[in-house]
Coordinates of all heavy atoms in Angstrom, one line a residue:
M945 N 11.3 -5.1 -35.9 CA 10.7 -5.4 -34.7 C 11.7 -6.1 -33.7 O 12.4 -7.0 -34.1 CB 9.5 -6.5 -34.9 CG 8.6 -6.8 -33.7 SD 7.2 -7.5 -34.3 CE 6.8 -8.5 -32.9
H946 N 11.6 -5.6 -32.5 CA 12.6 -6.0 -31.5 C 12.1 -7.3 -30.8 O 10.9 -7.4 -30.5 CB 12.9 -5.0 -30.4 CG 13.9 -5.3 -29.4 ND1 15.2 -5.4 -29.6 CD2 13.7 -5.5 -28.2 CE1 15.8 -5.7 -28.5 NE2 15.0 -5.9 -27.6
Q947 N 13.0 -8.3 -30.8 CA 12.6 -9.5 -30.1 C 12.7 -9.4 -28.6 O 13.6 -8.8 -28.0 CB 13.6 -10.6 -30.5 CG 13.2 -12.0 -30.0 CD 14.1 -13.1 -30.4 OE1 15.1 -12.8 -31.2 NE2 14.0 -14.3 -30.0
K948 N 11.6 -9.9 -27.8 CA 11.7 -9.9 -26.4 C 12.7 -10.9 -25.9 O 12.9 -12.0 -26.4 CB 10.3 -10.4 -25.9 CG 9.3 -9.3 -26.0 CD 8.0 -9.8 -25.2 CE 6.9 -8.8 -25.3 NZ 5.7 -9.3 -24.6
E949 N 13.4 -10.5 -24.8 CA 14.2 -11.3 -24.1 C 13.6 -11.7 -22.8 O 12.9 -10.9 -22.2 CB 15.6 -10.6 -23.9 CG 16.3 -10.3 -25.2 CD 17.7 -9.6 -24.9 OE1 18.4 -10.1 -24.0 OE2 18.0 -8.7 -25.6
K950 N 13.9 -12.9 -22.4 CA 13.3 -13.4 -21.2 C 14.1 -14.2 -20.3 O 15.0 -14.9 -20.7 CB 12.1 -14.4 -21.5 CG 10.9 -13.9 -22.0 CD 9.9 -15.0 -22.1 CE 8.6 -14.6 -22.9 NZ 7.6 -15.6 -22.9
F951 N 13.9 -14.1 -19.0 CA 14.4 -15.0 -18.0 C 13.2 -15.8 -17.5 O 12.2 -15.0 -17.1 CB 15.1 -14.3 -17.0 CG 15.6 -15.2 -15.8 CD1 16.8 -15.7 -15.8 CD2 14.8 -15.4 -14.7 CE1 17.3 -16.6 -14.7 CE2 15.3 -16.2 -13.6 CZ 16.4 -16.7 -13.7
R952 N 13.2 -17.0 -17.4 CA 12.0 -17.7 -16.7 C 12.6 -18.9 -15.9 O 13.5 -19.6 -16.3 CB 11.2 -18.2 -17.8 CG 9.9 -18.9 -17.2 CD 9.0 -19.5 -18.4 NE 7.9 -20.1 -17.8 CZ 6.6 -19.8 -18.0 NH1 6.4 -18.9 -19.0 NH2 5.6 -20.4 -17.5
H953 N 12.0 -19.0 -14.8 CA 12.4 -20.1 -13.9 C 11.1 -20.6 -13.3 O 10.2 -20.0 -12.8 CB 13.3 -19.6 -12.7 CG 13.6 -20.7 -11.7 ND1 14.7 -21.5 -11.8 CD2 12.9 -21.0 -10.6 CE1 14.7 -22.4 -10.8 NE2 13.7 -22.1 -10.0
Q954 N 11.0 -22.0 -13.2 CA 9.8 -22.6 -12.6 C 10.3 -23.8 -11.7 O 11.1 -24.6 -12.2 CB 8.9 -23.1 -13.7 CG 7.6 -23.7 -13.1 CD 6.5 -23.9 -14.1 OE1 6.6 -23.5 -15.3 NE2 5.5 -24.7 -13.8
S955 N 9.8 -23.8 -10.5 CA 10.2 -25.0 -9.6 C 9.1 -25.1 -8.6 O 8.3 -24.2 -8.3 CB 11.6 -24.7 -9.0 OG 11.6 -23.6 -8.2
L956 N 9.1 -26.1 -7.8 CA 8.2 -26.4 -6.7 C 9.0 -25.8 -5.4 O 10.1 -26.1 -5.2 CB 8.0 -27.8 -6.5 CG 7.1 -28.5 -7.5 CD1 6.9 -29.9 -7.3 CD2 5.7 -27.7 -7.6
Q957 N 8.3 -25.0 -4.7 CA 8.9 -24.4 -3.5 C 7.9 -24.5 -2.3 O 6.6 -24.5 -2.5 CB 9.1 -22.9 -3.7 CG 10.0 -22.6 -4.9 CD 11.5 -22.8 -4.6 OE1 11.9 -22.8 -3.5 NE2 12.3 -23.1 -5.6
D958 N 8.4 -24.6 -1.1 CA 7.5 -24.5 0.1 C 7.2 -23.0 0.4 O 7.8 -22.1 -0.1 CB 8.1 -25.3 1.3 CG 9.3 -24.8 1.7 OD1 9.8 -23.7 1.4 OD2 10.0 -25.5 2.6
C959 N 6.3 -22.8 1.4 CA 5.9 -21.4 1.8 C 7.0 -20.7 2.3 O 7.2 -19.4 2.0 CB 4.8 -21.5 2.8 SG 3.2 -22.0 2.0
K960 N 8.0 -21.2 3.0 CA 9.1 -20.6 3.6 C 10.0 -20.0 2.5 O 10.5 -18.9 2.5 CB 9.9 -21.4 4.5 CG 11.1 -20.8 5.1 CD 11.8 -21.6 6.1 CE 13.0 -20.9 6.6 NZ 13.9 -21.8 7.4
S961 N 10.3 -20.9 1.5 CA 11.1 -20.5 0.3 C 10.4 -19.4 -0.5 O 11.1 -18.5 -0.9 CB 11.3 -21.7 -0.6 OG 12.0 -22.7 0.1
I962 N 9.2 -19.4 -0.6 CA 8.4 -18.3 -1.4 C 8.5 -17.0 -0.6 O 8.8 -16.0 -1.2 CB 7.0 -18.7 -1.6 CG1 6.8 -20.0 -2.5 CG2 6.1 -17.5 -2.2 CD1 7.3 -19.8 -3.9
K963 N 8.4 -17.1 0.7 CA 8.6 -15.9 1.6 C 10.0 -15.4 1.4 O 10.2 -14.1 1.2 CB 8.3 -16.2 3.0 CG 8.4 -15.0 3.9 CD 8.2 -15.4 5.4 CE 8.6 -14.2 6.2 NZ 8.9 -14.5 7.6
E964 N 11.0 -16.2 1.4 CA 12.4 -15.7 1.2 C 12.5 -15.1 -0.2 O 13.3 -14.0 -0.3 CB 13.4 -16.9 1.4 CG 13.4 -17.3 2.9 CD 14.2 -18.6 3.1 OE1 14.8 -19.2 2.0 OE2 14.3 -19.0 4.2
L965 N 11.9 -15.6 -1.2 CA 12.0 -15.1 -2.6 C 11.4 -13.7 -2.6 O 11.9 -12.8 -3.1 CB 11.3 -16.1 -3.5 CG 11.2 -15.6 -5.0 CD1 12.5 -15.4 -5.6 CD2 10.3 -16.5 -5.7
L966 N 10.2 -13.6 -2.0 CA 9.5 -12.3 -2.1 C 10.3 -11.3 -1.3 O 10.3 -10.1 -1.7 CB 8.0 -12.5 -1.5 CG 7.1 -13.3 -2.4 CD1 5.8 -13.6 -1.7 CD2 6.8 -12.6 -3.8
N967 N 10.9 -11.6 -0.1 CA 11.7 -10.7 0.7 C 12.8 -10.2 -0.1 O 13.3 -9.1 -0.1 CB 12.2 -11.4 2.0 CG 11.1 -11.5 3.0 OD1 10.0 -10.7 3.0 ND2 11.2 -12.4 3.9
A968 N 13.6 -11.2 -0.9 CA 14.7 -10.8 -1.7 C 14.2 -9.9 -2.9 O 14.9 -8.9 -3.1 CB 15.3 -12.1 -2.3
I969 N 13.1 -10.1 -3.4 CA 12.5 -9.2 -4.5 C 12.3 -7.8 -3.8 O 12.8 -6.8 -4.4 CB 11.3 -9.8 -5.1 CG1 11.7 -10.9 -6.0 CG2 10.6 -8.7 -5.9 CD1 10.5 -11.8 -6.5
G970 N 11.7 -7.8 -2.6 CA 11.5 -6.5 -1.9 C 12.8 -5.7 -1.7 O 12.8 -4.5 -1.9
K971 N 13.8 -6.4 -1.2 CA 15.1 -5.8 -1.0 C 15.7 -5.2 -2.3 O 16.3 -4.2 -2.4 CB 16.0 -6.8 -0.4 CG 15.7 -7.1 1.2 CD 16.7 -8.1 1.7 CE 16.3 -8.4 3.2 NZ 17.1 -9.5 3.6
G972 N 15.5 -6.0 -3.4 CA 16.0 -5.6 -4.7 C 15.3 -4.3 -5.0 O 16.0 -3.3 -5.6
F973 N 14.0 -4.1 -4.9 CA 13.3 -2.9 -5.2 C 13.8 -1.8 -4.3 O 14.0 -0.6 -4.8 CB 11.8 -3.1 -5.0 CG 11.0 -3.7 -6.2 CD1 10.5 -5.0 -6.1 CD2 10.9 -3.0 -7.4 CE1 9.8 -5.4 -7.2 CE2 10.2 -3.5 -8.4 CZ 9.8 -4.8 -8.4
S974 N 14.1 -2.1 -3.1 CA 14.7 -1.0 -2.2 C 15.9 -0.5 -2.7 O 16.2 0.7 -2.5 CB 14.8 -1.5 -0.8 OG 13.5 -1.8 -0.2
K975 N 16.8 -1.4 -3.2 CA 18.1 -1.1 -3.7 C 18.0 -0.4 -5.1 O 19.0 0.1 -5.5 CB 19.1 -2.3 -3.7 CG 19.4 -2.8 -2.3 CD 20.5 -3.8 -2.5 CE 20.2 -4.9 -3.4 NZ 21.1 -6.2 -3.3
G976 N 16.9 -0.6 -5.8 CA 16.9 -0.2 -7.2 C 17.5 -1.1 -8.2 O 17.7 -0.8 -9.3
Q977 N 17.8 -2.4 -7.8 CA 18.3 -3.4 -8.7 C 17.9 -4.8 -8.3 O 18.0 -5.1 -7.1 CB 19.9 -3.3 -8.8 CG 20.4 -4.4 -9.7 CD 21.9 -4.4 -9.9 OE1 22.5 -3.3 -9.8 NE2 22.5 -5.6 -10.2
L978 N 17.3 -5.5 -9.3 CA 16.9 -6.9 -9.0 C 17.7 -7.8 -9.8 O 18.0 -7.4 -11.1 CB 15.4 -7.1 -9.5 CG 14.4 -6.3 -8.8 CD1 13.1 -6.2 -9.6 CD2 14.1 -7.0 -7.5
T979 N 18.3 -8.8 -9.3 CA 19.2 -9.8 -10.0 C 18.5 -11.1 -9.8 O 18.2 -11.6 -8.8 CB 20.6 -9.8 -9.3 OG1 21.0 -8.4 -9.4 CG2 21.5 -10.7 -10.2
F980 N 18.3 -11.8 -11.1 CA 17.8 -13.2 -11.0 C 18.8 -14.0 -11.8 O 19.4 -13.7 -12.7 CB 16.5 -13.2 -11.9 CG 15.4 -12.3 -11.3 CD1 15.2 -11.0 -11.6 CD2 14.5 -12.9 -10.4 CE1 14.3 -10.3 -10.9 CE2 13.5 -12.2 -9.7 CZ 13.3 -10.8 -10.1
S981 N 19.1 -15.3 -11.2 CA 20.0 -16.1 -11.9 C 19.6 -17.6 -11.6 O 18.9 -17.9 -10.6 CB 21.4 -15.9 -11.3 OG 21.5 -16.1 -10.0
D982 N 20.0 -18.4 -12.5 CA 19.9 -19.9 -12.4 C 20.6 -20.6 -13.5 O 20.8 -20.0 -14.6 CB 18.4 -20.4 -12.4 CG 17.7 -20.4 -13.7 OD1 18.3 -19.9 -14.6 OD2 16.5 -20.8 -13.8
D983 N 21.3 -21.6 -13.2 CA 22.1 -22.4 -14.2 C 22.9 -21.5 -15.1 O 22.9 -21.7 -16.4 CB 21.1 -23.3 -15.0 CG 20.5 -24.3 -14.2 OD1 21.0 -24.8 -13.1 OD2 19.3 -24.7 -14.5
G984 N 23.6 -20.5 -14.7 CA 24.6 -19.7 -15.5 C 23.8 -18.6 -16.1 O 24.4 -17.7 -16.8
N985 N 22.5 -18.5 -16.1 CA 21.8 -17.3 -16.7 C 21.7 -16.3 -15.5 O 21.3 -16.6 -14.4 CB 20.4 -17.8 -17.1 CG 20.5 -18.7 -18.2 OD1 21.2 -18.5 -19.1 ND2 19.6 -19.7 -18.2
E986 N 21.9 -15.0 -15.9 CA 21.8 -13.9 -14.9 C 21.1 -12.8 -15.6 O 21.3 -12.5 -16.7 CB 23.2 -13.5 -14.4 CG 23.0 -12.7 -13.2 CD 24.5 -12.6 -12.4 OE1 25.4 -12.2 -13.1 OE2 24.5 -12.9 -11.3
W987 N 20.1 -12.2 -14.9 CA 19.3 -11.2 -15.5 C 19.3 -10.0 -14.4 O 19.0 -10.2 -13.2 CB 17.9 -11.7 -15.6 CG 17.1 -11.0 -16.6 CD1 16.2 -9.9 -16.3 CD2 17.0 -11.2 -17.9 NE1 15.7 -9.5 -17.4 CE2 16.0 -10.2 -18.4 CE3 17.6 -12.0 -18.9 CZ2 15.7 -10.1 -19.8 CZ3 17.2 -11.9 -20.2 CH2 16.3 -11.0 -20.6
F988 N 19.5 -8.8 -14.9 CA 19.4 -7.6 -14.1 C 18.3 -6.6 -14.5 O 18.1 -6.5 -15.6 CB 20.8 -6.8 -14.2 CG 22.0 -7.6 -13.8 CD1 22.7 -8.2 -14.7 CD2 22.4 -7.6 -12.4 CE1 23.9 -8.9 -14.3 CE2 23.4 -8.3 -12.0 CZ 24.2 -9.0 -13.0
L989 N 17.6 -6.2 -13.6 CA 16.5 -5.2 -13.7 C 16.7 -4.0 -12.9 O 17.2 -4.1 -11.8 CB 15.1 -5.8 -13.5 CG 14.7 -7.0 -14.3 CD1 13.4 -7.5 -13.8 CD2 14.5 -6.6 -15.8
L990 N 16.5 -2.8 -13.4 CA 16.6 -1.6 -12.7 C 15.3 -0.8 -12.6 O 15.1 0.1 -13.5 CB 17.7 -0.7 -13.3 CG 19.1 -1.3 -13.7 CD1 20.0 -0.5 -14.5 CD2 19.7 -1.6 -12.4
P991 N 14.5 -1.1 -11.6 CA 13.1 -0.5 -11.5 C 13.3 1.0 -11.1 O 14.1 1.3 -10.1 CB 12.5 -1.2 -10.4 CG 13.5 -1.9 -9.7 CD 14.7 -2.1 -10.6
K992 N 12.7 1.9 -11.8 CA 12.8 3.4 -11.5 C 11.4 4.0 -11.8 O 10.7 3.5 -12.6 CB 13.8 4.0 -12.4 CG 15.2 3.5 -12.3 CD 16.1 4.5 -11.7 CE 17.5 4.1 -11.8 NZ 18.0 3.3 -10.8
G993 N 11.1 5.0 -11.1 CA 9.9 5.7 -11.3 C 8.7 5.0 -10.9 O 8.7 4.2 -10.0
L994 N 7.5 5.4 -11.5 CA 6.3 4.7 -11.2 C 6.2 3.3 -11.8 O 6.5 3.1 -13.0 CB 5.1 5.6 -11.7 CG 4.9 6.9 -11.0 CD1 3.8 7.7 -11.7 CD2 4.6 6.7 -9.6
L995 N 5.7 2.3 -11.1 CA 5.6 0.9 -11.6 C 4.2 0.6 -11.6 O 3.4 0.9 -10.8 CB 6.4 0.0 -10.7 CG 7.9 0.1 -10.6 CD1 8.4 1.4 -10.0 CD2 8.5 -1.1 -9.9
D996 N 3.9 -0.1 -12.7 CA 2.5 -0.7 -12.9 C 2.4 -2.1 -12.2 O 3.2 -3.0 -12.4 CB 2.3 -0.8 -14.4 CG 0.9 -1.3 -14.7 OD1 0.0 -1.2 -13.9 OD2 0.6 -1.8 -15.9
C997 N 1.5 -2.1 -11.3 CA 1.4 -3.4 -10.4 C 0.0 -4.0 -10.7 O -1.0 -3.3 -10.6 CB 1.6 -3.0 -9.0 SG 1.4 -4.5 -7.9
K998 N 0.0 -5.3 -11.0 CA -1.2 -6.0 -11.2 C -1.2 -7.2 -10.3 O -0.4 -8.0 -10.5 CB -1.4 -6.3 -12.7 CG -2.6 -7.2 -13.0 CD -2.7 -7.5 -14.4 CE -3.9 -8.3 -14.8 NZ -3.9 -8.7 -16.2
V999 N -2.3 -7.4 -9.5 CA -2.4 -8.7 -8.7 C -3.7 -9.4 -9.1 O -4.8 -8.6 -9.2 CB -2.6 -8.3 -7.2 CG1 -2.7 -9.5 -6.3 CG2 -1.3 -7.5 -6.7
S1000 N -3.6 -10.6 -9.4 CA -4.8 -11.4 -9.8 C -4.8 -12.6 -8.9 O -3.8 -13.3 -8.7 CB -4.7 -11.9 -11.3 OG -4.7 -10.8 -12.2
V1001 N -6.1 -12.9 -8.5 CA -6.2 -14.2 -7.6 C -7.4 -14.9 -8.2 O -8.5 -14.4 -8.6 CB -6.5 -13.8 -6.2 CG1 -6.9 -15.0 -5.3 CG2 -5.4 -12.9 -5.6
S1002 N -7.2 -16.3 -8.3 CA -8.3 -17.1 -8.9 C -8.3 -18.4 -8.2 O -7.4 -18.8 -7.6 CB -8.2 -17.2 -10.5 OG -6.9 -17.9 -10.7
E1003 N -9.5 -19.0 -8.3 CA -9.7 -20.4 -7.7 C -10.5 -21.2 -8.7 O -11.5 -20.7 -9.2 CB -10.3 -20.1 -6.3 CG -10.6 -21.4 -5.6 CD -11.4 -21.1 -4.4 OE1 -11.6 -20.0 -4.0 OE2 -11.7 -22.2 -3.7
D1004 N -10.2 -22.5 -8.8 CA -11.1 -23.5 -9.4 C -11.2 -24.6 -8.4 O -10.6 -24.6 -7.4 CB -10.8 -23.8 -10.8 CG -9.4 -24.4 -11.0 OD1 -9.0 -25.2 -10.1 OD2 -8.8 -24.3 -12.0
E1005 N -11.8 -25.7 -8.9 CA -12.0 -26.8 -8.1 C -10.6 -27.5 -7.6 O -10.6 -28.1 -6.4 CB -12.8 -28.0 -8.8 CG -14.2 -27.5 -9.0 CD -15.0 -28.6 -9.7 OE1 -14.6 -29.7 -9.7 OE2 -16.1 -28.2 -10.3
A1006 N -9.6 -27.4 -8.4 CA -8.4 -28.2 -8.0 C -7.2 -27.2 -7.7 O -6.2 -27.7 -7.2 CB -8.0 -29.0 -9.3
R1007 N -7.3 -26.0 -8.0 CA -6.1 -25.1 -7.8 C -6.4 -23.7 -7.5 O -7.4 -23.1 -7.9 CB -5.4 -25.1 -9.1 CG -4.0 -24.5 -9.2 CD -3.4 -24.8 -10.6 NE -2.0 -24.8 -10.4 CZ -1.2 -25.8 -10.2 NH1 -1.7 -27.0 -10.0 NH2 0.1 -25.7 -10.2
H1008 N -5.6 -23.1 -6.6 CA -5.6 -21.7 -6.3 C -4.4 -21.0 -7.0 O -3.4 -21.7 -7.3 CB -5.4 -21.4 -4.8 CG -6.5 -21.8 -4.0 ND1 -6.4 -22.8 -3.0 CD2 -7.8 -21.4 -4.0 CE1 -7.6 -23.0 -2.4 NE2 -8.4 -22.1 -3.0
R1009 N -4.6 -19.7 -7.5 CA -3.6 -19.1 -8.2 C -3.4 -17.6 -7.7 O -4.4 -16.9 -7.6 CB -3.8 -19.1 -9.7 CG -2.8 -18.4 -10.5 CD -3.2 -18.5 -11.9 NE -3.3 -19.8 -12.4 CZ -2.5 -20.5 -13.3 NH1 -1.6 -19.8 -13.9 NH2 -2.7 -21.8 -13.6
L1010 N -2.2 -17.2 -7.6 CA -1.9 -15.8 -7.3 C -0.9 -15.3 -8.3 O 0.1 -16.0 -8.5 CB -1.2 -15.7 -5.8 CG -0.5 -14.4 -5.5 CD1 -1.5 -13.1 -5.6 CD2 0.2 -14.5 -4.2
E1011 N -1.2 -14.3 -9.1 CA -0.2 -13.8 -10.0 C 0.1 -12.3 -9.7 O -0.9 -11.6 -9.4 CB -0.9 -13.8 -11.4 CG -1.1 -15.2 -12.0 CD -1.7 -15.2 -13.4 OE1 -1.3 -14.3 -14.2 OE2 -2.4 -16.1 -13.7
L1012 N 1.3 -12.0 -9.7 CA 1.8 -10.7 -9.4 C 2.6 -10.3 -10.6 O 3.6 -10.9 -10.9 CB 2.7 -10.7 -8.1 CG 3.4 -9.4 -7.7 CD1 2.3 -8.2 -7.6 CD2 4.2 -9.6 -6.5
K1013 N 2.2 -9.1 -11.2 CA 2.9 -8.6 -12.3 C 3.4 -7.2 -12.1 O 2.5 -6.3 -11.7 CB 2.1 -8.7 -13.7 CG 1.9 -10.1 -14.1 CD 1.1 -10.1 -15.4 CE 0.8 -11.5 -16.0 NZ 0.2 -11.4 -17.3
I1014 N 4.5 -6.9 -12.3 CA 5.1 -5.5 -12.0 C 5.9 -5.1 -13.4 O 6.8 -5.9 -13.7 CB 6.0 -5.4 -10.8 CG1 5.2 -5.9 -9.5 CG2 6.5 -4.0 -10.6 CD1 6.1 -6.1 -8.3
S1015 N 5.6 -4.0 -13.9 CA 6.3 -3.5 -15.0 C 6.5 -2.1 -15.0 O 5.9 -1.3 -14.2 CB 5.4 -3.8 -16.3 OG 4.2 -3.2 -16.2
W1016 N 7.6 -1.6 -15.7 CA 8.0 -0.1 -15.7 C 8.6 0.0 -17.1 O 9.1 -0.9 -17.7 CB 8.7 0.2 -14.5 CG 10.0 -0.6 -14.5 CD1 11.3 -0.2 -14.9 CD2 10.2 -1.8 -13.7 NE1 12.2 -1.2 -14.6 CE2 11.6 -2.2 -13.9 CE3 9.4 -2.8 -13.1 CZ2 12.1 -3.4 -13.3 CZ3 9.9 -3.8 -12.5 CH2 11.3 -4.2 -12.7
D1017 N 8.7 1.3 -17.4 CA 9.5 1.7 -18.6 C 10.9 1.8 -18.3 O 11.3 2.2 -17.3 CB 9.0 3.0 -19.2 CG 7.5 2.9 -19.7 OD1 7.1 1.9 -20.2 OD2 6.8 4.0 -19.5
K1018 N 11.7 1.4 -19.3 CA 13.2 1.6 -19.2 C 13.5 3.1 -19.1 O 12.8 4.0 -19.8 CB 13.9 1.0 -20.4 CG 13.8 -0.5 -20.5 CD 14.6 -0.9 -21.7 CE 14.5 -2.5 -21.8 NZ 15.3 -2.9 -23.0
P1019 N 14.5 3.5 -18.3 CA 14.8 4.9 -18.2 C 15.2 5.6 -19.4 O 14.9 6.7 -19.7 CB 16.0 4.9 -17.1 CG 16.0 3.5 -16.6 CD 15.3 2.6 -17.4
D1020 N 15.8 4.9 -20.3 CA 16.3 5.4 -21.6 C 15.3 5.3 -22.7 O 15.5 5.6 -23.9 CB 17.6 4.9 -22.0 CG 17.6 3.4 -22.3 OD1 16.5 2.8 -21.9 OD2 18.5 2.9 -22.9
Q1021 N 14.1 4.9 -22.4 CA 13.0 4.6 -23.4 C 12.6 5.9 -24.0 O 12.3 6.9 -23.3 CB 11.9 3.9 -22.7 CG 10.7 3.6 -23.7 CD 11.1 2.3 -24.5 OE1 11.7 1.5 -24.1 NE2 10.6 2.4 -25.7
K1022 N 12.6 5.9 -25.3 CA 12.2 7.1 -26.0 C 10.8 6.9 -26.7 O 10.5 5.9 -27.3 CB 13.2 7.4 -27.1 CG 14.7 7.6 -26.7 CD 15.0 9.0 -26.5 CE 16.5 9.2 -26.3 NZ 17.0 8.6 -25.1
Y1023 N 9.9 7.9 -26.5 CA 8.6 7.8 -27.0 C 8.3 8.8 -28.1 O 8.9 10.0 -28.1 CB 7.6 8.1 -25.9 CG 7.5 7.1 -24.8 CD1 8.1 7.3 -23.6 CD2 6.8 5.9 -25.0 CE1 8.2 6.3 -22.6 CE2 6.8 4.9 -24.0 CZ 7.4 5.1 -22.8 OH 7.4 4.2 -21.9
T1024 N 7.7 8.3 -29.1 CA 7.3 9.3 -30.3 C 6.2 10.1 -29.8 O 5.1 9.4 -29.3 CB 7.0 8.5 -31.5 OG1 8.1 7.6 -31.9 CG2 6.6 9.4 -32.6
Q1025 N 6.2 11.3 -29.8 CA 5.1 12.1 -29.3 C 4.4 12.8 -30.5 O 4.3 14.0 -30.6 CB 5.6 13.1 -28.3 CG 6.1 12.5 -27.0 CD 6.4 13.4 -25.9 OE1 6.0 14.6 -26.0 NE2 6.9 13.0 -24.7
G1026 N 4.0 12.0 -31.4 CA 3.3 12.5 -32.6 C 1.9 12.8 -32.1 O 1.4 12.6 -31.0
E1027 N 1.1 13.3 -33.1 CA -0.3 13.6 -32.9 C -1.1 12.4 -32.8 O -1.0 11.5 -33.6 CB -0.8 14.5 -34.0 CG -2.3 14.9 -33.9 CD -2.7 15.7 -35.1 OE1 -1.9 16.0 -36.0 OE2 -3.9 16.0 -35.2
L1028 N -2.0 12.3 -31.9 CA -2.9 11.2 -31.7 C -4.1 11.4 -32.6 O -4.7 12.4 -32.5 CB -3.3 11.0 -30.3 CG -4.5 9.9 -29.9 CD1 -3.9 8.6 -30.3 CD2 -4.9 10.0 -28.6
K1029 N -4.5 10.4 -33.4 CA -5.6 10.5 -34.2 C -6.5 9.3 -34.0 O -6.1 8.2 -33.8 CB -5.2 10.4 -35.7 CG -4.3 11.6 -36.1 CD -3.9 11.4 -37.6 CE -3.0 12.7 -37.9 NZ -2.6 12.6 -39.3
V1030 N -7.8 9.6 -33.8 CA -8.8 8.6 -33.5 C -9.9 8.7 -34.5 O -10.4 9.9 -34.7 CB -9.3 8.6 -32.0 CG1 -10.3 7.5 -31.8 CG2 -8.2 8.6 -31.0
K1031 N -10.3 7.7 -35.2 CA -11.5 7.8 -36.2 C -12.6 6.9 -35.8 O -12.4 5.8 -35.2 CB -10.9 7.4 -37.6 CG -9.9 8.4 -38.0 CD -9.5 8.0 -39.5 CE -8.4 9.1 -39.9 NZ -8.1 8.8 -41.3

């Protein structure tokens, strides 16, 4: 089993900083390469083809939440195309 590798960053930001972050992500998608870094860690992603996009919004008494998840298959990903069996 292959272990997942992760880059994770969490910090408090104001609305202007979030807008700049989202703009930078948009530019990365336009170029076909996203680069994330902090404290010496650097992560590169190469989005290609169709991307799976999920937006979730929720609210409770104390907090609002917006989640944006975007995923895609690696270009060199090989799939086993065996026969599908359902019982």
Side-chain angles (χ1 to χ4, degrees):
M945 186 164 152
H946 182 70
Q947 182 180 359
K948 284 187 181 180
E949 296 183 38
K950 280 188 192 186
F951 174 91
R952 185 177 179 125
H953 176 88
Q954 184 171 348
S955 60
L956 294 174
Q957 304 282 332
D958 61 14
C959 286
K960 182 181 177 187
S961 296
I962 296 298
K963 180 184 174 201
E964 291 170 1
L965 173 67
L966 292 172
N967 285 336
I969 290 171
K971 287 178 185 176
F973 276 113
S974 294
K975 291 189 305 188
Q977 178 176 328
L978 295 158
T979 304
F980 296 89
S981 62
D982 71 354
D983 297 331
N985 296 319
E986 195 164 49
W987 200 269
F988 299 96
L989 298 174
L990 303 171
K992 302 243 189 276
L994 294 175
L995 287 68
D996 183 18
C997 180
K998 179 180 178 182
V999 177
S1000 300
V1001 178
S1002 62
E1003 174 183 0
D1004 62 28
E1005 290 180 22
R1007 190 171 204 90
H1008 292 117
R1009 180 180 303 245
L1010 164 65
E1011 293 182 35
L1012 173 61
K1013 292 184 179 183
I1014 302 170
S1015 60
W1016 59 93
D1017 294 327
K1018 291 182 179 179
D1020 62 346
Q1021 185 71 34
K1022 305 265 190 288
Y1023 292 99
T1024 303
Q1025 295 190 8
E1027 180 183 353
L1028 173 62
K1029 296 178 184 179
V1030 180
K1031 294 183 181 187

